[in-house]
Amino acid sequence: MERVPVLKIGDFLLVSIQVDMEDQIALQLQEDLSARIVETGVHGVIIDITALDIVDSFVGRMLSTIAAISKVLDAETVVVGMRPAVAITLVELGLSLHGIRTALNVERGMELLARAREEEDLLGVEDDDEDAQDGAAVTS
C-alpha cells in the first residue's frame, strides 16, 4: 500500500499528497500524521495538494477530518497549493474546508503558521501576566 510521507521541517510537518487519495491511504495518513504530531510536538501541519487535479467530497472530508484531529492535538493545519480549478470546484459543490486555513504555497503556509504561533505566544504571556496580577490581588 502506498503511504503519504510526513516530513518534519522546523516547527512544522509537511504532507505532500502526490497520489490519488483512496480510503485506505487517507486512513493511514490520518494515523501517521497523528502519531507524528504527538511524537514531534509540532504546532503546525502543512498539507500540499499541488499535485491534485481534483478535490472531490471525499478528499474535502478527509482534509477536514485531518485538520480536526490535528487541532485536538494542538496543531493548526494549512492546505497549500490549491489550483484555481480545484477552488472553483469546491465552491460550486458547496464544500467548505471547515477549520482549515489555506495559502497559495508552502512558503506562505509556513508564514501563516509562524504568525499564528506568535499570536498564541503573545496571548499566553498576557494570560500569565493577568494570572500573576490576579494572584497578587488575592494575597494582598
Side-chain angles (χ1 to χ4, degrees):
M1 177 179 69
E2 292 185 70
R3 291 182 105 133
V4 177
V6 179
L7 307 173
K8 184 175 185 302
I9 299 176
D11 294 332
F12 313 110
L13 292 178
L14 175 62
V15 177
S16 183
I17 300 174
Q18 302 289 319
V19 298
D20 288 333
M21 291 302 291
E22 297 172 2
D23 293 0
Q24 198 59 36
I25 294 172
L27 292 173
Q28 188 63 54
L29 175 59
Q30 289 176 11
E31 288 183 29
D32 291 347
L33 185 57
S34 301
R36 290 282 290 167
I37 290 170
V38 171
E39 175 186 309
T40 60
V42 299
H43 297 284
V45 174
I46 297 172
I47 301 176
D48 181 11
I49 62 169
T50 305
L52 298 182
D53 293 326
I54 297 171
V55 174
D56 58 12
S57 60
F58 169 73
V59 174
R61 272 195 328 271
M62 184 267 307
L63 292 173
S64 292
T65 301
I66 287 174
I69 292 169
S70 299
K71 184 69 176 173
V72 169
L73 296 173
D74 194 27
E76 295 291 328
T77 300
V78 177
V79 173
V80 302
M82 187 178 302
R83 295 176 181 205
V86 170
I88 291 168
T89 301
L90 286 173
V91 171
E92 287 178 349
L93 292 175
L95 298 174
S96 65
L97 300 177
H98 185 70
I100 298 178
R101 294 178 174 187
T102 58
L104 291 178
N105 54 43
V106 172
E107 185 178 3
R108 288 189 178 185
M110 292 176 77
E111 290 170 1
L112 185 65
L113 288 173
R115 226 179 10 251
R117 188 70 187 155
E118 288 173 5
E119 290 172 6
E120 282 182 23
D121 288 346
L122 288 174
L123 291 173
V125 170
E126 289 176 6
D127 288 342
D128 290 341
D129 289 345
E130 289 175 10
D131 291 342
Q133 290 174 355
D134 291 341
V138 170
T139 56
S140 59

